[in-house]
């Protein structure tokens, strides 16, 4: 052990990573280290920077709130989907005077599912409109208002009732921009719960994702978590084109953790981009809305059987994020599509066609489609459970895609 | 004699035209319509005046002197609009018979007075929502006839660049909000466009005219 020369680097560090000062090579150096320390010549500018930083450090009050929040972004809050939608509506209505909400029971009753709670008190009856039970009427009125630059958010009590207004959604809203050669922009959002609820029967349980997603001129969004709900609803309201926003009644009460970035009022998710909820290697599972939760649970079960599933939350059915899906299939070589709606001409059929068109050579197994049963939704609870995809169905499909009939021994 | 602008918020100009002995002035009951800006007199007497259009102004009405709704120049303008509509539709029919226009064509021959009579009362900022029988509505609203005919031929120079066709005439510049194919489809859309005036508090400065006929009521969208 001798003294280090200048050319040698003392790599010792203290426990917290700060480099130790170089060893003294003589007693004088030990007693009077100041005279022997190499000091970098700082420019005047650098010295001013140091002074300025010290001054800022003392005046923490000036620091903007956002950066303080971001420094605590590791703390996650819980937020229900209902609160996420409510807060998104509230923020967009306060940001833009042209945004208004209309639908059945959205005002006085605070919303059929309490999504619009508090909005009537805050914005008044001119911006939160209780409509009579005429979907065709108020959807058409909203489209007419959108022609003139207002931004209506139309709530359907369920999307089953949108069939009463589907003429206006498709013919007046979706097609107008094209028919008028771009002269008419329709910045409208149609939102409401979609798909099966609990025991509400055949006429209240259909999933309309495939129907609306087949229509050019519409955008169709299907949020799953609170982050999805907030970001996608804000994006939908800001979008200049008609958007069909398919929520799920059973998800309204579910809580998800949200970061501070999600809670920021400028938070917005891009339309047309899927999210990979769980990265995997062996099989790709695509899902949207409530089925994302089922797919994630199925992935946990599959992991115990040695199958590492990648779960994609589609978020946007139209435009469909084909590039993310195909990239995932090219990685895993197996695909399962999960949806709640009827199987024929469904979302899974479109995804399967897209993968066959673009990534056929990468497929090691036929694409598995998990969908609702090809019957109108029954009422009896046991039949309803059989008519909607369950976690076990996804697990079985994944095993079929991986050509495993017998579960392997679980890894430790 | 009170004067008024034809297309503004004031009563119609009233200019006397040469009368004959059997002419009796036509008088209507008093009704003030703020949107149309018309003011009619308090009495209602049916009468006829051959070859001239009569109406009343409120204070200046006198029984002996006949008064008119429109001036001769305005009358000629309205007449020109109706003749344009008729000629246009006749030509459409010819072109359709020669298979140069295809698909659906719905003619408006014979109804030009309705289109002219209503739409010529509106201002540029007022909107019109029409039906599939919308050629002449577009013409009355001010869309150039060349653009409408090009649209029927499916040309890029059409008012919707060939994308809309006969039943879907749109013009942002002239506030023509389409051309809807379904019966009664435009009624809620027209209501919504009028709702925008209420929302923006632009009130009486704009109105929206929704056109439909008998069978459209069966859709019951607004009933």
């Amino acid at each position: 052990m001798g003294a280090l020369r200048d050319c040698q680097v003392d790599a010792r560090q203290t426990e917290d990573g700060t480099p130790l000062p170089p060893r003294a090579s003589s007693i004088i150096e030990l007693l009077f280290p100041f005279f022997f320390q190499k000091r970098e010549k700082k420019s005047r500018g650098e010295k001013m920077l140091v002074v300025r930083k010290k001054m800022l450090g003392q005046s923490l009050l000036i620091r903007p709130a956002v950066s303080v929040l971001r420094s605590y972004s590791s703390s996650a809050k819980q937020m229900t989907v209902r609160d996420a939608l409510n807060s998104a509506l509230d923020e967009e209505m306060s940001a833009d005077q042209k945004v208004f909400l209309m639908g059945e029971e959205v005002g006085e009753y605070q919303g059929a599912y309490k999504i619009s709670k508090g909005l009537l008190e805050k914005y008044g009856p001119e911006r939160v409109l209780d409509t009579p039970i005429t979907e065709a009427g108020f959807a058409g009125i909203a489209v007419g208002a959108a022609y003139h630059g207002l931004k209506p958010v139309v709530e359907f009590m369920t999307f089953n009732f949108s069939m009463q207004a589907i003429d206006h959604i498709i013919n007046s809203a979706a097609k107008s921009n094209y028919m008028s050669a771009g002269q008419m922009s329709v910045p409208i959002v149609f939102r409401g719960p979609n798909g099966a609820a609990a025991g509400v029967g055949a006429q209240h349980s259909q999933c309309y994702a495939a129907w609306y997603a087949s229509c050019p001129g519409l955008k169709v969004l299907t949020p799953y978590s609170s982050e999805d709900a907030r970001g996608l609803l804000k994006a939908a309201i800001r979008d200049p084109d008609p958007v069909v926003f398919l929520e799920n009644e059973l998800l309204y009460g579910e809580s998800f953790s949200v970061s501070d970035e999600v809670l920021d009022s400028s938070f917005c998710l891009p339309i047309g981009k899927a999210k990979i909820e769980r990265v995997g290697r062996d099989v790709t599972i695509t899902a949207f809305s409530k089925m994302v939760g089922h797919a994630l649970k199925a992935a946990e079960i599959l992991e115990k059987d040695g199958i590492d599933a990648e779960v994609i939350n589609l978020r946007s059915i139209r435009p469909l994020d084909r590039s993310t899906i195909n990239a995932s299939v090219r990685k895993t070589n197996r695909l399962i599509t999960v949806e709640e709606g009827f199987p024929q001409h469904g979302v899974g059929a479109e995804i399967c066609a897209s993968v066959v068109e673009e990534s056929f050579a990468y497929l090691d197994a036929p694409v598995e489609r998990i969908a609702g049963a090809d019957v109108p939704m029954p009422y009896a609870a046991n039949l309803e459970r059989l008519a909607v995809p369950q976690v076990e169905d996804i697990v079985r499909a994944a095993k079929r895609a991986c050509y495993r009939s017998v579960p392997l021994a679980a890894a430790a | 004699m009170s004067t008024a602008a034809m297309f503004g918020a004031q009563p119609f100009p009233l200019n006397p035209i040469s009368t004959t002995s059997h002419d009796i002035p036509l008088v209507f009951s008093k009704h003030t319509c703020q949107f149309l800006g018309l003011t009619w007199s308090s009495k209602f007497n049916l009468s006829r005046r051959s070859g001239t259009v009569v109406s009343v102004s409120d204070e200046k009405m006198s029984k002996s002197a006949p008064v008119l709704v429109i001036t001769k120049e305005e009358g000629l303008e309205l007449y020109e609009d109706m003749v344009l509509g008729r000629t246009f539709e006749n030509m459409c029919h010819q072109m359709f018979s020669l298979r140069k226009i295809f698909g659906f064509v719905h003619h408006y021959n014979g109804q030009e007075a309705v289109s002219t009579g209503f739409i010529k009362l509106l201002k540029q900022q007022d909107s019109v929502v029409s039906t599939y029988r919308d050629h002449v509505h577009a013409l009355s609203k001010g869309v150039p006839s060349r653009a409408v005919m090009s649209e029927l031929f499916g040309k890029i120079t059409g008012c919707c660049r060939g994308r809309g066709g006969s039943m879907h005439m749109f013009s942002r510049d002239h506030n023509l909000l389409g051309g809807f194919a379904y019966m009664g489809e435009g009624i809620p859309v027209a209501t919504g466009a009028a709702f925008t005036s209420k929302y923006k508090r632009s009130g009486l400065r704009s109105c929206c005219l929704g056109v439909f006929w008998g069978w459209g009521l069966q859709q019951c969208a607004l009933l």
Side-chain angles (χ1 to χ4, degrees), chain B residues 51-88:
Chain B
T52 51
V53 182
V54 296
S55 179
V56 298
S57 79
D58 37 4
E59 308 91 2
K60 310 262 172 92
M61 165 65 195
S62 94
K63 281 183 193 176
S64 57
V67 291
L68 300 172
V69 181
I70 52 173
T71 64
K72 185 179 178 183
E73 289 72 32
E74 285 156 354
L76 284 172
E77 212 173 306
L78 297 178
Y79 183 65
E80 184 191 356
D81 190 53
M82 288 193 277
V83 169
L84 172 65
R86 178 65 65 93
T87 318
F88 189 96

Side-chain angles (χ1 to χ4, degrees), chain A residues 15 125 350:
Chain A
E15 280 169 344
E350 175 62 29

Side-chain angles (χ1 to χ4, degrees), chain A residues 96-100 102 126-127 129 134 136-150 167-168 171-172 176 178-181 183-185, chain B residues 125 127 151 159-161 163-164 168 170-173 175-177 179-180 182 184-186 188-196 199-201 221-223:
Chain A
D96 189 348
Q97 290 295 314
K98 297 196 289 289
V99 178
F100 69 96
M102 67 193 304
E126 287 184 0
R127 294 186 68 192
L129 301 157
T134 48
F138 66 74
I141 286 175
V143 172
Y147 279 179
H148 273 295
L150 296 187
D167 171 40
H168 285 293
N171 283 331
S172 304
S176 286
Y178 185 86
M179 286 196 298
S180 67
Q183 295 177 81
M184 301 290 156
S185 163
Chain B
Q125 72 214 52
S127 309
E151 185 61 32
C159 58
C160 295
R161 300 166 65 87
R163 266 73 165 177
H168 306 293
F170 288 84
S171 173
R172 173 57 79 193
D173 294 335
N175 280 314
L176 176 66
L177 305 181
F180 287 91
Y182 285 23
E185 190 176 9
V189 176
T191 311
F195 170 79
T196 309
Y199 188 93
K200 289 182 178 173
R201 310 250 166 100
L222 287 184
L223 297 179

Side-chain angles (χ1 to χ4, degrees), chain A residues 217-237:
Chain A
L218 279 182
K219 291 175 185 166
V220 179
L221 302 178
T222 50
Y224 162 63
S225 60
S226 301
E227 177 185 340
D228 292 352
R230 253 184 78 81
L232 292 176
L233 185 56
K234 279 168 169 291
I237 293 173

Side-chain angles (χ1 to χ4, degrees), chain B residues 39-152:
Chain B
T39 313
W40 295 347
S41 84
S42 53
K43 293 192 202 143
F44 184 82
N45 289 322
L46 273 178
S47 58
R48 292 244 177 91
R49 188 188 190 100
S50 60
T52 51
V53 182
V54 296
S55 179
V56 298
S57 79
D58 37 4
E59 308 91 2
K60 310 262 172 92
M61 165 65 195
S62 94
K63 281 183 193 176
S64 57
V67 291
L68 300 172
V69 181
I70 52 173
T71 64
K72 185 179 178 183
E73 289 72 32
E74 285 156 354
L76 284 172
E77 212 173 306
L78 297 178
Y79 183 65
E80 184 191 356
D81 190 53
M82 288 193 277
V83 169
L84 172 65
R86 178 65 65 93
T87 318
F88 189 96
E89 292 296 270
N90 285 345
M91 191 52 66
C92 278
H93 182 70
Q94 239 183 55
M95 292 297 112
F96 188 74
S97 308
L98 294 171
R99 296 180 198 277
K100 290 184 188 290
I101 299 177
F102 40 87
F104 284 125
V105 175
H106 300 89
H107 298 299
Y108 205 79
N109 314 58
Q111 305 178 50
E112 303 86 357
V114 176
S115 172
T116 301
F118 273 107
I119 296 180
K120 283 303 182 191
L121 286 170
L122 301 178
K123 299 189 279 289
Q124 166 76 5
Q125 72 214 52
D126 296 328
S127 309
V128 169
V129 176
S130 181
T131 65
Y132 45 84
R133 207 179 292 273
D134 55 354
H135 307 165
V136 182
H137 295 152
L139 295 174
S140 296
K141 197 66 180 63
V143 182
S145 53
R146 186 172 285 273
V148 180
M149 188 58 85
S150 300
E151 185 61 32
L152 294 173

Side-chain angles (χ1 to χ4, degrees), chain A residues 310-323:
Chain A
E310 176 153 299
V311 176
I312 298 181
N313 174 7
L314 291 173
R315 281 182 170 173
S316 170
I317 308 298
R318 188 180 178 103
L320 195 58
D321 192 353
R322 295 168 204 274
S323 55

Side-chain angles (χ1 to χ4, degrees), chain A residues 165-359:
Chain A
I166 201 166
D167 171 40
H168 285 293
I169 298 173
I170 305 292
N171 283 331
S172 304
K175 295 180 183 171
S176 286
N177 195 30
Y178 185 86
M179 286 196 298
S180 67
Q183 295 177 81
M184 301 290 156
S185 163
V186 190
I188 193 170
V189 176
F190 299 100
R191 52 160 291 271
N194 174 58
V200 292
Q203 293 186 355
H204 287 73
S205 303
Q206 189 168 335
C207 174
Y208 289 87
W211 280 33
Y212 288 121
S214 71
C215 178
L218 279 182
K219 291 175 185 166
V220 179
L221 302 178
T222 50
Y224 162 63
S225 60
S226 301
E227 177 185 340
D228 292 352
R230 253 184 78 81
L232 292 176
L233 185 56
K234 279 168 169 291
I237 293 173
R238 295 175 198 180
D239 198 274
D241 292 320
V243 179
V244 169
F245 194 82
L246 302 173
E247 302 156 5
N248 189 293
E249 189 199 328
L250 299 174
L251 284 176
Y252 283 151
E254 271 199 43
S255 273
F256 296 87
S257 59
V258 286
S259 64
D260 288 313
E261 189 197 349
V262 173
L263 293 172
D264 191 55
S265 64
S266 62
F267 175 70
C268 203
L269 285 173
I271 292 179
K273 207 79 192 76
K275 182 186 178 193
I276 298 180
E277 296 277 350
R278 184 185 192 281
V279 179
R281 290 176 292 105
D282 296 327
V283 62
T284 298
I285 306 176
T286 64
F288 61 92
S289 192
K290 185 154 177 54
M291 293 294 121
V292 176
H294 285 15
L296 288 168
K297 285 181 196 147
E300 281 169 27
I301 296 172
L302 288 165
E303 196 177 5
K304 298 192 187 96
D305 287 331
I307 298 175
D308 190 16
E310 176 153 299
V311 176
I312 298 181
N313 174 7
L314 291 173
R315 281 182 170 173
S316 170
I317 308 298
R318 188 180 178 103
L320 195 58
D321 192 353
R322 295 168 204 274
S323 55
T324 299
I325 297 167
N326 277 282
S328 175
V329 170
R330 288 179 183 213
K331 182 175 72 169
T332 64
N333 310 121
R334 295 163 208 276
L335 175 64
I336 296 157
T337 66
V338 185
E339 62 189 298
E340 204 177 34
F342 299 135
Q344 188 165 343
H345 307 295
V347 176
E350 175 62 29
I351 294 174
C352 177
S354 171
V355 166
V356 162
E357 282 165 11
E358 293 180 36
S359 311

